[in-house]
Amino acid sequence: MSGPIHPARLRRAAAAAGAALLFVALAQGTAAGTDPPPPTTTPSSPTAPSSPSASGDTGLGGLDPRITAIMRKPEYRNAQWGLLQTDPDTGRVVHSLFPEQFFIPGSTAKLLSVSGPWQTLGADHRFVTPVYAVGERDGATLTGDLDLVAQGDLTMGGRTRPDGTVAYTDLDHTYANDFPGATLTPENPLAGIDLLARQVRDAGITRVDGDVIVDSRLFLPDPELVPTPTPLIINDNLIDLMTTPGDRAGAAAGLDWRPKVAPYRVTSTVKTVAAGKPTAVTVTATDGGTRIRLSGTIAADAEPLLRTSPIGDPAAFGRVALIEALERAGVHVTADPSGPNPVARLPRDYDGRPRVAAYTSPPYAQYAKLILKVSHNLGANLGICLLAVTADSNQCPAGFPVLADFLDRAGVDREQAQLMDGRGGNPADRATPQVLVQMLTYWQHGPDARMFREALPVLGVDGLLADNCRSCPARGKVFAKTGAAVGGDALNDRLAVGAITIAGYLDKGGGRFDTFYAGVNGASTPGADPTEVLSIANDLALIAAYLQESSSAP
């Protein structure tokens, strides 16, 4: 074992491990078409699924021996496995192991938190973000304010393709600080804001003797939800920072960033180092996040490196962005763009106020797809706040009773789930295999069954599972949400793997899709190298693939 690891270093390693798991742990070194060698001995293990348990576990007799071999590995001697596979058409349990036991869900909790808004708002629900003219019009001049009333639109046009679908990359920019390889979608993050500005000009306004205000009264940001949703979200409330190596060692690195909105300023002292040398870029932000500085090194042969910095005040940021967009569109605003967002000027309501612009989002089902494909944590937490709004509340926690009512109507035993957020990242979050399979089964019997199934990452095809199992028999036949919870173990200089989970659908052919959950809680790595967690995630990917490949009589 190496020397002692400082707790701060261990926390950073754990964070990196979590990000790695969410996006590529199920996508590297996982050849599900290659059988692991059979064990020469059969070690006894408390997790070995040799027979049904007294708690009602059934159906393990026909479990693929490759899965049994994984669960019996010595490294899982202190861990707990959970497994459930069912035929949703008949309700028959194919395989089961501790189906009613609480497990840390990780991002498989999003199966619950995304389903609630999808069915409460509706798959076709579109967010309409209006701009009102509050004041007096005299020809092309508005003496008064333009008020943008935020509606909880997740992307405000910043990911919308020309065909109206929402763009995503397999490794989303929201994880760029945790894991290398994150990439940007090509869409303009300010597309919705620019459209609003052009509509104001088209409404005949060319001068605003007053201010621009972002009305964020839809709901109050709740710091218990991390990342914290806000009523106005532009570019996921992040500044993207792209560093590229210079043309030779010693040269200054290139820098580009977006969205470019005053008063944000970005500088870089990153230097190019020789090919093969370490790339290490640090981002620091001051003055409420408006002064961003990059420092460190990037190797001459390195790919462009993406980092992000949070937008400290999304409403103030949106105000400045709209003022600048108005100027580009030919509408002059007399107010100081660098001033605060003057919420004290907002009217009680907008009855009788002319609406001079409105941005209409893609349907919610597109947002759900984004959240599920890339494990978009902000979007999952936002769903809880949007549910609260449907209950006429501006307090995000009021969304949980709405979610509970939906689960009751869906026939999902919500007492088998414990949630304090929408992303599955709160330390209190728990879910049984059964509750997640019940949620998946619910969808199979509704009109949106295919839409929901295809919104999940597809093994070897897209989303978080895009690079996994590209040449194995299960490729394209597993639709599943992955989850991970990784922390530090300073006592033993290693990582504590609270959970690695996967849940979704297995295409068994003939239009039959079995529902399944597989997860392990309480594993650990030999050391503190985040890549060591990959082997655990690889095992879960193998289990999902083997479940799909295994025949089971209907």
Side-chain angles (χ1 to χ4, degrees), residues 15-67:
L21 279 171
L22 285 170
F23 297 100
V24 297
L26 297 179
Q28 301 209 2
T30 309
T34 304
D35 296 351
T40 56
T41 61
T42 305
S44 62
S45 167
T47 64
S50 57
S51 62
S53 76
S55 63
D57 304 293
T58 61
L60 289 176
L63 191 65
D64 191 311
R66 297 174 295 182
I67 297 175

Side-chain angles (χ1 to χ4, degrees), residues 60 95 144 173 178 239 346 359 398 423 425 497:
L60 289 176
H95 298 300
H173 78 137
D178 298 313
I239 301 293
L346 291 173
Y359 175 76
R423 61 174 286 197
V497 184

Side-chain angles (χ1 to χ4, degrees), residues 390-485:
T390 68
D392 297 323
S393 174
N394 68 349
Q395 305 287 329
C396 290
F400 287 105
V402 181
L403 178 59
D405 289 344
F406 158 71
L407 295 174
D408 289 344
R409 295 193 306 274
V412 175
D413 183 3
R414 59 182 167 89
E415 292 189 357
Q416 294 194 46
Q418 298 173 170
L419 292 179
M420 283 295 293
D421 63 8
R423 61 174 286 197
N426 189 286
D429 291 347
R430 297 292 186 274
T432 69
Q434 185 164 281
V435 76
L436 295 176
V437 166
Q438 286 176 347
M439 188 76 264
L440 292 162
T441 300
Y442 161 83
W443 281 102
Q444 284 297 84
H445 299 300
D448 291 340
R450 179 176 178 179
M451 188 185 302
F452 181 81
R453 182 174 66 247
E454 294 180 352
L456 300 172
V458 183
L459 188 68
V461 176
D462 65 13
L464 307 187
L465 297 175
D467 295 327
N468 175 260
C469 208
R470 285 186 175 270
S471 60
C472 71
R475 181 180 186 270
K477 299 177 182 178
V478 176
F479 304 77
K481 185 74 195 74
T482 59

Side-chain angles (χ1 to χ4, degrees), residues 14-303:
L21 279 171
L22 285 170
F23 297 100
V24 297
L26 297 179
Q28 301 209 2
T30 309
T34 304
D35 296 351
T40 56
T41 61
T42 305
S44 62
S45 167
T47 64
S50 57
S51 62
S53 76
S55 63
D57 304 293
T58 61
L60 289 176
L63 191 65
D64 191 311
R66 297 174 295 182
I67 297 175
T68 304
I70 290 174
M71 292 181 172
R72 286 176 173 162
K73 284 183 176 181
E75 51 262 48
Y76 297 123
R77 63 184 178 275
N78 301 124
Q80 177 63 63
W81 285 92
L83 180 69
L84 185 59
Q85 178 185 350
T86 70
D87 181 339
D89 294 330
T90 66
R92 185 177 70 92
V93 175
V94 182
H95 298 300
S96 176
L97 180 65
F98 301 112
E100 297 182 4
Q101 179 170 309
F102 274 132
F103 287 85
I104 299 170
S107 286
T108 55
K110 291 183 174 75
L111 294 170
L112 302 174
S113 62
V114 172
S115 295
W118 185 319
Q119 292 291 37
T120 303
L121 298 173
D124 294 328
H125 176 80
R126 296 174 185 265
F127 300 87
V128 179
T129 303
V131 174
Y132 291 97
V134 180
E136 299 295 330
R137 282 280 299 270
D138 183 7
T141 298
L142 170 67
T143 302
D145 303 327
L146 290 175
D147 293 357
L148 182 157
V149 185
Q151 298 295 310
D153 186 328
L154 179 57
T155 69
M156 278 299 294
R159 294 180 186 249
T160 305
R161 300 185 181 102
D163 64 359
T165 59
V166 171
Y168 60 89
T169 61
D170 295 326
L171 183 54
D172 193 64
H173 78 137
T174 54
Y175 290 90
N177 291 351
D178 298 313
F179 196 76
T183 54
L184 297 172
T185 60
E187 286 72 27
N188 175 14
L190 298 175
I193 296 296
D194 286 343
L195 178 61
L196 289 172
R198 292 195 297 270
Q199 289 182 358
V200 171
R201 178 63 181 83
D202 291 344
I205 298 174
T206 60
R207 180 180 177 86
V208 178
D209 284 334
D211 216 320
V212 170
I213 312 173
V214 171
D215 185 340
S216 291
R217 293 178 291 186
L218 184 70
F219 60 80
L220 298 174
D222 187 340
E224 293 298 316
L225 299 176
V226 180
T228 303
T230 51
L232 181 67
I233 297 172
I234 298 175
N235 201 45
D236 299 311
N237 291 340
L238 295 172
I239 301 293
D240 295 317
L241 311 160
M242 187 68 78
T243 298
T244 54
D247 56 4
R248 66 186 186 284
L255 170 68
D256 194 13
W257 59 283
R258 71 175 205 183
K260 292 182 172 69
V261 172
Y264 281 72
R265 296 289 184 271
V266 181
T267 58
S268 174
T269 59
V270 177
K271 294 294 183 182
T272 306
V273 294
K277 293 291 185 179
T279 293
V281 174
T282 299
V283 178
T284 57
T286 57
D287 295 337
T290 62
R291 296 296 182 268
I292 302 169
R293 181 175 181 269
L294 287 77
S295 59
T297 59
I298 185 169
D301 58 346
E303 294 294 323

